[in-house]
Protein backbone atom coordinates (compact mmCIF):
# COMPACT_ATOMS: atom_id res chain seq x y z
CA UNK A 1 0.00 0.00 0.00
CA UNK A 2 3.02 2.32 -0.06
CA UNK A 3 2.12 3.14 -3.70
CA UNK A 4 -1.38 4.37 -2.81
CA UNK A 5 -2.04 7.84 -1.41
CA UNK A 6 -5.23 9.64 -0.51
CA UNK A 7 -5.14 13.33 -1.40
CA UNK A 8 -7.44 16.04 -0.06
CA UNK A 9 -7.36 19.66 -1.17
CA UNK A 10 -9.07 22.89 -0.24
CA UNK A 11 -8.96 25.76 -2.69
CA UNK A 12 -10.21 29.25 -2.04
CA UNK A 13 -10.18 32.42 -4.08
CA UNK A 14 -11.68 35.83 -3.38
CA UNK A 15 -11.94 39.30 -4.83
CA UNK A 16 -12.98 41.50 -1.92
CA UNK A 17 -14.19 45.09 -2.23
CA UNK A 18 -15.00 47.94 0.12
CA UNK A 19 -18.68 47.42 -0.72
CA UNK A 20 -19.32 43.72 0.09
CA UNK A 21 -22.14 43.58 -2.48
CA UNK A 22 -19.41 43.18 -5.13
CA UNK A 23 -17.38 40.44 -3.38
CA UNK A 24 -16.65 37.34 -5.49
CA UNK A 25 -15.65 34.25 -3.48
CA UNK A 26 -14.99 30.65 -4.46
CA UNK A 27 -14.36 27.56 -2.31
CA UNK A 28 -13.70 24.03 -3.57
CA UNK A 29 -12.99 20.87 -1.56
CA UNK A 30 -11.69 17.73 -3.26
CA UNK A 31 -10.56 14.25 -2.35
CA UNK A 32 -9.27 11.24 -4.27
CA UNK A 33 -6.74 8.42 -4.48
CA UNK A 34 -3.37 8.57 -6.23
CA UNK A 35 -1.72 5.31 -7.28
CA UNK A 36 1.60 4.34 -8.84
CA UNK A 37 1.16 1.75 -11.57
CA UNK A 38 4.62 0.91 -12.88
CA UNK A 39 6.17 4.27 -13.79
CA UNK A 40 2.79 5.99 -14.24
CA UNK A 41 1.11 7.99 -11.46
CA UNK A 42 -2.70 7.80 -11.76
CA UNK A 43 -5.10 10.04 -9.87
CA UNK A 44 -8.85 10.34 -9.49
CA UNK A 45 -10.47 13.32 -7.78
CA UNK A 46 -14.01 14.29 -6.79
CA UNK A 47 -14.76 17.88 -5.81
CA UNK A 48 -17.62 20.07 -4.64
CA UNK A 49 -17.55 23.84 -4.93
CA UNK A 50 -19.50 26.96 -4.13
CA UNK A 51 -19.19 30.42 -5.64
CA UNK A 52 -20.77 33.53 -4.20
CA UNK A 53 -21.29 37.07 -5.40
CA UNK A 54 -22.20 39.86 -3.03
CA UNK A 55 -22.18 37.55 0.01
CA UNK A 56 -24.89 35.32 -1.55
CA UNK A 57 -24.32 31.77 -2.85
CA UNK A 58 -24.58 32.00 -6.60
CA UNK A 59 -23.34 28.72 -8.07
CA UNK A 60 -22.66 25.18 -6.94
CA UNK A 61 -20.47 22.68 -8.78
CA UNK A 62 -19.49 19.04 -8.79
CA UNK A 63 -16.30 17.91 -10.54
CA UNK A 64 -14.79 14.50 -11.31
CA UNK A 65 -11.33 14.28 -12.84
CA UNK A 66 -8.67 11.75 -13.74
CA UNK A 67 -4.98 12.29 -14.40
CA UNK A 68 -1.96 10.29 -15.52
CA UNK A 69 1.66 11.41 -15.24
CA UNK A 70 4.45 9.40 -16.81
CA UNK A 71 8.20 10.07 -17.11
CA UNK A 72 9.41 10.24 -20.72
CA UNK A 73 13.10 10.10 -19.79
CA UNK A 74 15.30 11.19 -16.87
CA UNK A 75 14.47 14.91 -17.28
CA UNK A 76 10.96 15.09 -18.76
CA UNK A 77 7.42 13.93 -18.10
CA UNK A 78 3.98 14.03 -19.72
CA UNK A 79 0.72 14.63 -17.85
CA UNK A 80 -2.80 14.05 -19.20
CA UNK A 81 -5.91 15.34 -17.41
CA UNK A 82 -9.54 14.69 -18.25
CA UNK A 83 -12.43 16.03 -16.23
CA UNK A 84 -16.17 16.41 -16.13
CA UNK A 85 -18.16 19.03 -14.25
CA UNK A 86 -21.77 19.83 -13.44
CA UNK A 87 -22.85 23.41 -12.69
CA UNK A 88 -25.98 24.53 -10.83
CA UNK A 89 -26.40 28.30 -11.24
CA UNK A 90 -28.91 29.34 -8.59
CA UNK A 91 -29.69 32.74 -10.12
CA UNK A 92 -29.99 31.73 -13.79
CA UNK A 93 -31.14 28.20 -14.63
CA UNK A 94 -30.20 28.77 -18.29
CA UNK A 95 -26.52 28.61 -17.22
CA UNK A 96 -26.94 25.15 -15.60
CA UNK A 97 -25.05 22.47 -17.49
CA UNK A 98 -22.21 20.03 -17.76
CA UNK A 99 -18.72 20.24 -19.18
CA UNK A 100 -15.81 18.10 -20.29
CA UNK A 101 -12.16 19.15 -20.41
CA UNK A 102 -8.94 17.59 -21.67
CA UNK A 103 -5.41 18.89 -21.10
CA UNK A 104 -1.90 17.63 -21.91
CA UNK A 105 1.28 19.07 -20.37
CA UNK A 106 4.90 18.27 -21.24
CA UNK A 107 7.57 19.30 -18.70
CA UNK A 108 11.34 19.26 -19.23
CA UNK A 109 14.08 20.15 -16.76
CA UNK A 110 16.83 22.18 -18.42
CA UNK A 111 18.91 22.18 -15.23
CA UNK A 112 18.33 21.35 -11.55
CA UNK A 113 17.03 24.93 -11.09
CA UNK A 114 15.10 25.48 -14.38
CA UNK A 115 12.06 23.82 -15.93
CA UNK A 116 9.99 24.56 -19.05
CA UNK A 117 6.47 23.30 -19.69
CA UNK A 118 4.23 23.31 -22.75
CA UNK A 119 0.51 22.61 -22.56
CA UNK A 120 -2.55 22.30 -24.80
CA UNK A 121 -6.15 21.92 -23.72
CA UNK A 122 -9.74 21.81 -24.90
CA UNK A 123 -13.02 22.38 -23.08
CA UNK A 124 -16.69 21.93 -23.93
CA UNK A 125 -19.54 23.20 -21.73
CA UNK A 126 -23.17 22.47 -22.65
CA UNK A 127 -25.65 24.66 -20.78
CA UNK A 128 -29.45 24.66 -20.91
CA UNK A 129 -29.31 27.63 -23.30
CA UNK A 130 -26.92 27.74 -26.26
CA UNK A 131 -25.81 31.30 -25.44
CA UNK A 132 -24.14 29.90 -22.28
CA UNK A 133 -22.72 26.80 -24.02
CA UNK A 134 -19.06 27.17 -24.98
CA UNK A 135 -16.15 25.53 -26.73
CA UNK A 136 -12.59 26.55 -25.89
CA UNK A 137 -8.97 25.67 -26.57
CA UNK A 138 -5.72 26.89 -25.03
CA UNK A 139 -1.99 26.47 -25.64
CA UNK A 140 0.76 27.73 -23.38
CA UNK A 141 4.44 27.82 -22.57
CA UNK A 142 5.83 28.44 -19.06
CA UNK A 143 9.35 28.58 -17.60
CA UNK A 144 10.20 28.13 -13.91
CA UNK A 145 13.49 29.13 -12.29
CA UNK A 146 14.53 28.35 -8.72
CA UNK A 147 16.36 31.32 -7.15
CA UNK A 148 17.27 30.58 -3.56
CA UNK A 149 14.00 29.88 -1.70
CA UNK A 150 11.84 31.44 -4.44
CA UNK A 151 10.54 30.05 -7.69
CA UNK A 152 10.16 32.61 -10.46
CA UNK A 153 7.81 31.84 -13.32
CA UNK A 154 7.13 33.41 -16.69
CA UNK A 155 4.41 32.14 -18.95
CA UNK A 156 2.24 32.91 -21.93
CA UNK A 157 -1.02 31.33 -22.98
CA UNK A 158 -3.19 31.80 -26.04
CA UNK A 159 -6.67 30.45 -26.59
CA UNK A 160 -10.12 30.90 -27.98
CA UNK A 161 -13.55 30.78 -26.35
CA UNK A 162 -16.65 30.58 -28.54
CA UNK A 163 -20.29 30.39 -27.50
CA UNK A 164 -22.76 28.23 -29.44
CA UNK A 165 -25.13 31.18 -29.85
CA UNK A 166 -25.15 34.93 -29.29
CA UNK A 167 -26.44 36.25 -25.97
CA UNK A 168 -29.10 38.86 -26.65
CA UNK A 169 -28.27 41.62 -24.17
CA UNK A 170 -30.38 44.25 -25.92
CA UNK A 171 -32.88 42.30 -28.05
CA UNK A 172 -34.76 45.43 -29.13
CA UNK A 173 -31.63 47.30 -30.32
Amino acid sequence: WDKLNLLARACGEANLYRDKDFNDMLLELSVGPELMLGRTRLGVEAAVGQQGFGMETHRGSLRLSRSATRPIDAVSQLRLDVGGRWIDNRTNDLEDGRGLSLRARYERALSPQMLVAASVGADRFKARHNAYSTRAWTAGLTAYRQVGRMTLSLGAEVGRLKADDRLALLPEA
Side-chain angles (χ1 to χ4, degrees), residues 92-104:
N92 184 355
D93 287 336
L94 297 177
E95 292 183 37
D96 291 354
R98 61 190 185 282
L100 180 64
S101 63
L102 178 64
R103 187 168 183 90

Side-chain angles (χ1 to χ4, degrees), residues 3 17 33 53 72 89 102 127-128 138 140 142 144 155 171:
K3 294 184 178 186
Y17 299 92
F53 295 110
I72 304 294
N89 189 310
L102 178 64
R128 283 192 182 172
T138 59
T142 307
Y144 302 91

Side-chain angles (χ1 to χ4, degrees), residues 18-37:
R18 196 175 319 176
D19 183 348
K20 67 181 180 184
D21 290 341
F22 297 102
N23 289 350
D24 177 9
M25 296 178 287
L26 171 72
L27 176 65
E28 185 181 75
L29 304 173
S30 65
V31 65
E34 186 178 75
L35 168 71
M36 287 298 294
L37 190 59

Side-chain angles (χ1 to χ4, degrees), residues 81 85 100-106 117-124 134-142 156-162:
D81 294 288
R85 68 189 182 282
L100 180 64
S101 63
L102 178 64
R103 187 168 183 90
R105 179 178 167 102
Y106 173 77
S119 63
V120 294
D123 184 83
R124 172 68 173 142
T134 57
R135 300 169 198 268
W137 64 264
T138 59
L141 189 60
T142 307
E157 188 171 80
V158 64
R160 180 178 172 115
L161 173 67
K162 184 171 178 18

